[in-house]
Amino acid sequence: LAKTTQPISMDSYEGQEVNITCSHNNIATNDYITWYQQFPSQGPRFIIQGYKTKVTNEVASLFIPADRKSSTLSLPRVSLSDTAVYYCLVGDMRAAGNKLTFGGGTRVLVKP
Amino acid sequence: EAQVTQNPRYLITVTGKKLTVTCSQNMNHEYMSWYRQDPGLGLRQIYYSMNVEVTDKGDVPEGYKVSRKEKRNFPLILESPSPNQTSLYFCASTLSPGTGYNEQFFGPGTRLTVL
């Protein structure tokens, strides 16, 4: 079971790029890395997922080094509405008996 | 509209009084799961289901039961609730575990208080 470690919190300013790194040293071969965003009192929302190298969508980029023991979520030019908790999740839903474990989350505060 | 619904959204109950939190999804998803969220502890998986009649324990299953008789529904049952089950509960579903794709769709949450 891949355990994840993230920074507890990060502050940023509007227009800046925010990079959040997640450590997952014992990631398994079939595990994917997924990031979610959560606003207070709402369910988490999917942001991006990757297996290796770099993945980019309209919201974020995900960088995964060759050893896959960590990953970095990059949020370009953040706005106040990006203030939220960001979770890193590592797992493989295909495997019966697989428990999906969220990291502790990183609280990102975007200041004006 | 594709969604995951949970009911009730808020519930205050007393110790030992059995309760059920319902979860339903209209996306024909195979995989469904329940999480609880507590301050400082993040999201922890309680139970999950790979498909109808296939369920398994997550990280914190003690004190909970689930069933998956139909693909769309995945109720969470607390046979004898205790105050330490006071929490915010989320149900989630995902299309198919076959590809390893992990996009889960979360419900709006159920805030449970056990007195």
Side-chain angles (χ1 to χ4, degrees):
Chain A
L1 180 63
K3 178 179 168 58
T4 60
T5 303
Q6 307 173 230
I8 294 174
S9 63
M10 299 179 72
D11 288 356
S12 184
Y13 290 92
E14 281 190 292
Q16 289 189 337
E17 178 181 81
V18 171
N19 296 305
I20 309 170
T21 297
C22 178
S23 298
H24 28 80
N25 290 320
N26 57 342
I27 187 170
T29 301
N30 293 329
D31 285 346
Y32 282 71
I33 301 156
T34 314
W35 285 81
Y36 288 83
Q37 175 192 56
Q38 186 180 27
F39 299 112
S41 298
Q42 293 186 26
R45 185 182 70 161
F46 174 90
I47 299 176
I48 197 167
Q49 181 182 253
Y51 183 81
K52 61 181 179 181
T53 62
K54 177 184 175 182
V55 180
T56 297
N57 61 22
E58 64 278 5
V59 176
S61 293
L62 178 60
F63 300 90
I64 305 169
D67 65 7
R68 303 201 328 124
K69 293 184 183 300
S70 66
S71 59
T72 299
L73 174 72
S74 180
L75 305 171
R77 296 180 298 282
V78 294
S79 63
L80 296 177
S81 62
D82 291 317
T83 292
V85 178
Y86 293 82
Y87 290 96
C88 169
L89 175 63
V90 174
D92 176 12
M93 286 184 170
R94 293 171 297 181
N98 181 63
K99 301 180 181 68
L100 294 181
T101 299
F102 278 75
T106 299
R107 190 173 300 274
V108 172
L109 174 62
V110 179
K111 302 175 183 177
Chain B
E1 179 190 355
Q3 60 183 347
V4 177
T5 58
Q6 296 178 227
N7 282 291
R9 294 289 314 280
Y10 303 91
L11 178 61
I12 300 175
T13 188
V14 295
T15 299
K17 186 176 181 182
K18 180 180 178 180
L19 66 91
T20 299
V21 183
T22 64
C23 172
S24 183
Q25 49 92 5
N26 62 359
M27 297 169 279
N28 201 35
H29 285 175
E30 294 182 6
Y31 185 103
M32 297 184 74
S33 61
W34 276 102
Y35 294 88
R36 62 177 288 175
Q37 186 169 35
D38 304 288
L41 295 177
L43 283 145
R44 294 180 292 169
Q45 192 178 48
I46 303 170
Y47 268 96
Y48 65 96
S49 170
M50 301 285 283
N51 213 324
V52 175
E53 302 292 1
V54 181
T55 64
D56 207 347
K57 297 176 181 179
D59 286 323
V60 288
E62 293 77 22
Y64 304 94
K65 287 176 59 178
V66 293
S67 68
R68 188 90 181 273
K69 294 184 172 59
E70 305 167 279
K71 199 171 189 178
R72 62 182 292 128
N73 296 323
F74 190 45
L76 179 70
I77 303 157
L78 284 72
E79 295 271 2
S80 182
S82 62
N84 65 10
Q85 292 179 298
T86 292
S87 187
L88 179 58
Y89 291 87
F90 290 103
C91 179
S93 72
T94 193
L95 176 59
S96 170
T99 63
Y101 190 56
N102 279 343
E103 180 175 2
Q104 295 186 74
F105 295 83
F106 283 79
T110 296
R111 187 167 293 281
L112 172 66
T113 301
V114 183
L115 303 175

